[in-house]
């Protein structure tokens, strides 16, 4: 870590980004736009991306070797936006060098790996955050305000999903190899919906999962998208699921249904979270026909004894910029213990239980 550590946010933080695919580029843009940050180093395998983003944002440090970057660049904070199997070794190494870490989702391929990352953050006394950028959407923050107002009453049931018509990222890349990704649609996009739903529900513990996984498109070479295809290996196997469903039991008796697919016979892609409470229900939904995409937020409740349908006003979407800003606030707070990756670890353990349940064909308890 930079020897002159910031006191009370006086000095600009020195930031680095590892990985310059779509995700890494969002982190680069967020740091570059933040006047409290100096983006001083980038690391990636692609020379042309190092050159392009290094030049565009005047970044002096450009490294093919990320360990060299950590050793030389005197970073305060680093974002890790590399294939999922690299999150654990990169985060543990950076934390050990005294650098605060924001890693991309999913945190790691397994809960065990995620737990080792949390232990490293606790030992180093540094912040470990995971980029759950979708919870920074304007409709999600509006719905969270609705929930927190108490208008829905006790929440006891929720449904969430991200389903794609034809959206397998890079058939034949690390995304579709089990060892590198840890899983398919559930690990890649289901995790965002799980995060949003648990966040909106007030962080109930998930106690058990009953899940199923399917691979009907990928193994036949169907359902691919143009996205994430930069590192395709010819003949690479499709080893993960392209559809997953889960029934999750929540502490306190509630239930959450989760579905995610990379490819499925549906008219168009769709994302949604629907909450059911004792005094009201609410839904957010986005996606639809690409020619006419929609974004909806609706609350059903009673006002003055009459059934009422409300459409809350939605603010700006925050996305990655807000996820990076939230990470930087956690760093500035000086309270690393409150931001040690434990929340993301709980999500990783839910996914572990889902995959174990799908394999065993029975309900599985979630480890805590
Ligand atoms: N939060 C989101 O909305 C979102 C969206 C897409 C991807 N992601 C996540 O971000 C991560 C990366 O996804 P992507 O789509 O950008 O992947 P990608 O394959 O397009 O890019 C990966 C990047 O990592 C770099 N990299 C790989 N090995 C490296 C190494 N040893 N040293 C330095 N750099 C290395 C590559 O050079 C490349 O620049 C994944 O974990 C993915 O799940 C998150």
């Amino acid at each position: 870590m930079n020897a002159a550590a910031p006191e009370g946010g006086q000095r600009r933080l020195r930031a680095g980004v590892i990985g310059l695919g779509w995700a890494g580029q969002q982190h680069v843009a967020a740091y570059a736009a933040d006047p409290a940050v100096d983006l001083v180093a980038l690391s990636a395998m692609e020379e042309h991306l190092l050159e392009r983003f290094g030049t565009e944002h005047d970044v002096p440090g450009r490294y093919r070797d990320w360990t060299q970057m950590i050793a030389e660049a005197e970073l305060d904070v680093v974002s890790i936006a590399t294939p999922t199997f690299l999150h654990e070794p990169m985060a543990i190494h950076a934390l050990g060098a005294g650098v605060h870490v924001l890693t991309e989702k999913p945190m790691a391929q397994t809960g065990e790996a995620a737990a080792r990352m949390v232990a490293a953050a606790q030992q180093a006394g540094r912040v470990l955050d995971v980029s759950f950028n979708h919870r920074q959407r304007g409709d999600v923050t509006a719905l969270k305000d609705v929930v927190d107002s108490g208008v829905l009453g006790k929440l006891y049931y929720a449904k969430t999903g991200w389903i794609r018509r034809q959206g397998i990222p890079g058939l034949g890349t690390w995304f579709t190899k089990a060892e590198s990704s840890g899983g398919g649609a559930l690990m890649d996009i289901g995790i965002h919906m799980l995060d949003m739903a648990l966040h909106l529900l007030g962080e109930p513990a998930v106690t058990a999962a009953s899940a199923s996984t399917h691979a009907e498109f990928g193994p036949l070479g169907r359902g691919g998208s143009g996205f994430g295809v930069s590192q395709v290996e010819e003949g690479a196997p499709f080893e993960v699921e392209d559809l997953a469903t889960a029934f999750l039991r929540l502490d306190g008796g509630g239930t959450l249904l989760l579905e995610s697919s990379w490819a499925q016979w549906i008219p168009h892609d769709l994302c949604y979270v629907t909450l059911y409470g004792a005094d009201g229900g609410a839904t957010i939904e986005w996606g639809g026909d690409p020619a006419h995409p929609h974004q909806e937020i609706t609350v059903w409740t009673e006002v003055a004894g009459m059934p009422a349908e409300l459409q809350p006003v939605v603010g700006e979407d925050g996305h990655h910029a807000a996820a990076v800003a939230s990470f930087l606030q956690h760093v500035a707070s000086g309270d690393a213990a409150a931001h040690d990756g434990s929340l993301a670890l709980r999500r990783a353990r839910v996914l572990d239980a889902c995959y174990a349940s799908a394999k065993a064909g029975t309900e599985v308890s979630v480890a805590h």
Side-chain angles (χ1 to χ4, degrees):
M1 186 182 180
N2 191 354
E7 290 290 337
Q10 298 301 306
R11 190 180 55 71
R12 286 154 70 98
L13 291 174
R14 292 172 63 83
V17 175
I18 315 178
L20 290 175
W22 185 87
Q25 292 172 28
Q26 313 312 305
H27 292 256
V28 167
Y31 288 123
D34 189 329
V37 171
D38 274 332
L39 179 59
V40 295
L42 304 174
S43 176
M45 311 295 280
E46 304 88 352
E47 286 292 352
H48 70 285
L49 294 179
L50 285 171
E51 170 70 19
R52 179 175 147 203
F53 290 99
T55 305
E56 196 170 309
H57 299 293
D58 202 15
V59 184
R62 304 171 195 180
Y63 299 88
R64 287 286 301 266
D65 180 347
W66 62 275
T67 58
Q68 193 187 349
M69 176 177 103
I70 299 291
E72 292 179 359
E74 298 190 335
L75 300 178
D76 298 302
V77 298
V78 70
S79 281
I80 299 173
T82 53
T84 301
F85 72 101
L86 292 169
H87 296 180
E88 181 198 357
M90 289 177 167
I92 290 177
H93 185 96
L95 290 163
V99 182
H100 301 281
V101 169
L102 173 61
T103 187
E104 261 305 335
K105 53 47 65 177
M107 185 174 187
Q109 307 103 298
T110 63
E112 246 175 57
R116 289 192 288 269
M117 294 163 76
V118 170
Q122 289 169 343
Q123 197 180 351
R126 293 292 180 271
V127 170
L128 171 61
D129 271 357
V130 174
S131 178
F132 287 124
N133 47 300
H134 283 279
R135 66 156 69 180
Q136 307 285 356
R137 295 175 54 89
D139 45 11
V140 177
T141 53
L143 183 50
K144 182 80 171 99
D145 288 346
V146 169
V147 170
D148 290 347
S149 77
V151 73
L152 304 181
K154 178 191 162 194
L155 298 171
Y156 56 93
Y157 176 45
K159 294 193 287 195
T160 189
W162 183 336
I163 51 177
R164 286 184 181 161
R165 167 70 185 83
Q166 181 165 355
I168 301 178
L171 270 170
T173 68
W174 66 268
F175 270 108
T176 57
K177 280 188 246 164
E179 208 176 62
S180 337
S181 61
L186 178 61
M187 187 66 82
D188 181 38
I189 51 179
I191 187 75
H192 276 303
M193 307 316 292
L194 176 67
D195 174 67
M196 271 181 271
L198 292 177
H199 172 63
L200 290 166
L201 288 167
E203 294 298 334
V206 180
T207 56
S210 185
S212 64
T213 56
H214 307 267
E216 297 292 338
F217 286 73
L220 302 176
R222 298 192 301 181
S225 67
F227 157 65
V229 293
S230 57
Q231 297 166 33
V232 173
E233 285 170 33
E234 284 305 320
F238 185 94
E239 300 170 329
V240 293
E241 82 284 358
D242 48 36
L243 183 145
T245 60
F247 174 86
L248 304 175
R249 291 189 192 279
L250 308 177
D251 197 24
T255 50
L256 170 60
L257 289 184
L258 168 66
E259 61 173 344
S260 50
S261 66
W262 274 341
Q264 190 178 351
W265 290 113
I266 48 175
H268 43 62
D269 297 7
L270 202 65
C271 296
Y272 63 90
V273 184
T274 305
L275 307 176
Y276 300 89
D279 300 323
T283 194
I284 51 176
E285 183 180 297
W286 64 95
D289 177 357
H292 309 284
H294 69 277
Q295 181 180 341
E296 288 171 20
I297 174 167
T298 311
V299 177
W300 299 277
T301 185
E302 257 181 13
V303 175
M306 290 173 285
E309 189 174 302
L310 315 174
Q311 254 107 38
V313 175
V314 169
E316 290 285 302
D317 283 340
H319 286 306
H320 271 90
V324 168
S326 154
F327 165 59
L328 294 173
Q329 275 167 13
H330 296 163
V331 171
S333 76
D335 188 4
H339 307 287
D340 61 1
S342 295
L343 181 139
L345 167 60
R346 293 202 291 276
R347 275 99 170 105
R349 286 187 162 142
V350 174
L351 263 52
D352 275 358
C354 288
Y355 286 118
S357 164
K359 196 168 171 193
T362 57
E363 183 165 301
V364 167
S365 296
V366 177
H368 290 288

